[in-house]
Each structure stands twice: as C-alpha cells, then as structure tokens.
Amino acid sequence: MLNFIVCDDEKEFRDLITTEIEKFMMNYDISYKVYEFETYDDEFEKVAKAELGFKAYFFDIKTKNGSGLDASRYIREELDDWNSIIVIVTAFAEYRYEALSNRLYLLDFVSKFDNCKSKIKEILKIIYKNYNSREKCLNYEYNYMLYKIELKNIIYIEKEQDSKRCIIYTTYGTFKAPFTLTSLAKHLDKRFLKVHKSLILNLDKISTFDIKENEVLFVNGMSTNLISRAGRKELVENVTNAN
C-alpha cells in the first residue's frame, strides 16, 4: 500500500498537496491513503511508527510547533527508517541548503512559491517509480482493482472456507486474493512457510511459538493455532534455526 503523509500548518498547502496526490493516483488502480497533520505531534509519530507499507512524506520545514528537518531526523535516526521518501515543501527558500546538507537522504526541496504544483507532479512520478520497483511484492488484480502488497508486510495467508480465494493478513489491513493457497505460494519467497493445507505464515513476523499449545503469536499480537503435525515439525526447525 502506498501511504502519503503530509504535514503543514497551512491548510491551503495541505489541500494543494493532497489534491495533486489524488489527481495523480487517479491514473493508477492501486491502494493508497493520505494522512494529513498540522504539526509533528503524537498522532504524527504514531503513523510514522506504524507498519503501513511504503511511505512518502511531504514536510513543511517550519511549523508553529515543529521542524520538518527534526521530523526527518526522527524518521531516519530514531525509527531507523531509511526507505521512506521525504520531500521538504516550504516557503522558506533560505533553508534549502540546510535541508539538503543534513545527510537525511531527502528526495527534494520544493518552494511553495516556485512552480509548486508542477514540481509536486514530477516528484509524485518519482515516488511511484520507487514504490513500483523497491520492494518484493505480491501483485494481482481483483474486482477491477490492482493490488501490490509488500511481502515483508504480510503476516500470514489463509485459505477462505468453501472458496478458491485466500485472505491475506498484513500489518496494515486484510485483503482477499483470487488464488488457491498452492498457486499463491509460488509468488512468495523463503521467509514464508506452509504449516497447514489452509495456512502460510511469514517466519519474520513470528514473535513466539508455544509448542505445548501449538499456537503461533505474531509480532502485531495476532495468533493462530492452525498448525498441522508436519507443519509443526517444520516450524520448530525454522524457529530454532532462526535463533
């Protein structure tokens, strides 16, 4: 999923950026969401910390209650997130050198008063190209919608009862896919393990495996005990080897 996080204390510019995002995304049938913030507060940090999928930030460099550079530093250094894209959009052109010299791997610096709309359009093209090529993803079409789900964000995949579809549980939501579990497994990698005829799980998302209760607890608090005898043996071996 493609997530845009816009932080600016001027509603006019939040609306401008959000409108350009929505116009751009109309060209692509993929899932996306826009988050808007007036400042870099607790709600902003909550979204920054959350495993939502691919993130692209548009930061005002200076708001009444925070700095876009400080927010960028927080994302890069405290959250150790060097994959998300960060763009600085501001009326203060004098901050350009400071913004681009902080080694925060910013994609670009956009002046609010210098062809702002056209530059944002160009940046959105770059963001989409990065999103489209950066992560190993599961790509498919269902009900006239294109889905692109990053493998790293899949928790587990379960066969839907009395159906040839699967349900994909991710860190940011649940999605249906028009595949059998067997055919879907061909598009996954070695981090995934089939532990039951109706369940594939992501080994990287396991917090604990209670052998006695035959229950897997995932890092987000979800759990399952749909583990077959053969799957249990493989699961024990994989969890043990991972440690």
Side-chain angles (χ1 to χ4, degrees):
M1 186 172 184
L2 183 48
N3 299 276
F4 298 94
I5 296 94
V6 181
C7 188
D8 196 306
D9 58 3
E10 295 183 62
K11 187 177 186 302
E12 174 188 355
F13 284 101
R14 290 201 308 275
D15 289 347
L16 183 151
I17 296 169
T18 298
T19 298
E20 291 304 317
I21 290 170
E22 291 174 346
K23 284 163 59 178
F24 179 82
M25 294 305 297
M26 284 176 65
N27 299 307
Y28 305 95
D29 291 323
I30 63 172
S31 300
Y32 78 97
K33 187 170 182 178
V34 180
Y35 298 84
E36 289 189 24
F37 300 95
E38 289 186 32
T39 190
Y40 308 102
D41 55 11
D42 291 342
E43 289 301 311
F44 162 77
E45 289 188 6
K46 183 177 179 181
V47 170
K49 290 177 181 177
E51 289 193 48
L52 302 173
F54 190 96
K55 296 176 183 176
Y57 294 90
F58 287 85
F59 285 160
D60 187 355
I61 202 168
K62 188 176 182 182
T63 70
K64 295 175 183 177
N65 296 302
S67 159
L69 290 183
D70 288 341
S72 301
R73 196 170 292 108
Y74 170 76
I75 290 164
R76 297 303 194 214
E77 297 176 0
E78 292 193 38
L79 299 184
D80 197 27
D81 176 1
W82 297 89
N83 294 317
S84 293
I85 289 176
I86 300 176
V87 178
I88 298 294
V89 183
T90 184
F92 299 95
E94 63 268 24
Y95 286 107
R96 179 183 180 88
Y97 179 75
E98 181 183 354
L100 298 178
S101 65
N102 268 267
R103 298 183 181 179
L104 297 172
Y105 292 91
L106 306 176
L107 175 63
D108 209 342
F109 179 100
V110 178
S111 169
K112 290 181 177 180
F113 306 119
D114 183 14
N115 297 317
C116 185
K117 283 187 180 181
S118 61
K119 288 186 177 179
I120 287 174
K121 289 176 184 177
E122 292 303 312
I123 286 169
L124 288 171
K125 292 178 184 178
I126 296 171
I127 289 172
Y128 182 77
K129 286 180 181 179
N130 272 268
Y131 170 72
N132 212 32
S133 62
R134 184 177 292 184
E135 303 288 352
K136 293 185 68 175
C137 297
L138 177 64
N139 302 288
Y140 65 92
E141 181 181 351
Y142 180 61
N143 284 346
Y144 306 104
M145 178 70 76
L146 295 177
Y147 290 87
K148 187 183 184 74
I149 301 175
E150 299 92 337
L151 297 190
K152 69 177 184 180
N153 291 317
I154 296 175
I155 299 169
Y156 66 91
I157 305 167
E158 190 173 18
K159 178 186 179 299
E160 187 176 56
Q161 286 189 347
D162 304 318
S163 167
K164 291 186 178 180
R165 296 181 303 192
C166 289
I167 303 174
I168 303 172
Y169 296 86
T170 76
T171 57
Y172 49 81
T174 302
F175 306 90
K176 291 188 177 182
F179 302 105
T180 65
L181 206 64
T182 300
S183 62
L184 192 149
K186 297 175 183 177
H187 300 280
L188 305 176
D189 59 23
K190 63 182 181 181
R191 80 190 88 180
F192 292 89
L193 180 66
K194 189 173 184 179
V195 295
H196 188 276
K197 64 181 181 180
S198 299
L199 185 74
I200 295 174
L201 51 74
N202 185 345
L203 294 167
D204 290 347
K205 297 299 183 185
I206 294 176
S207 176
T208 59
F209 176 42
D210 188 327
I211 300 174
K212 183 178 179 180
E213 298 295 330
N214 202 44
E215 182 178 57
V216 171
L217 177 66
F218 297 101
V219 292
N220 70 334
M222 297 176 71
S223 64
T224 182
N225 57 9
L226 192 62
I227 316 293
S228 69
R229 183 176 297 178
R232 171 180 168 147
K233 182 180 178 182
E234 280 198 74
L235 188 54
V236 169
E237 290 176 356
N238 278 275
V239 172
T240 301
N241 289 338
N243 295 330

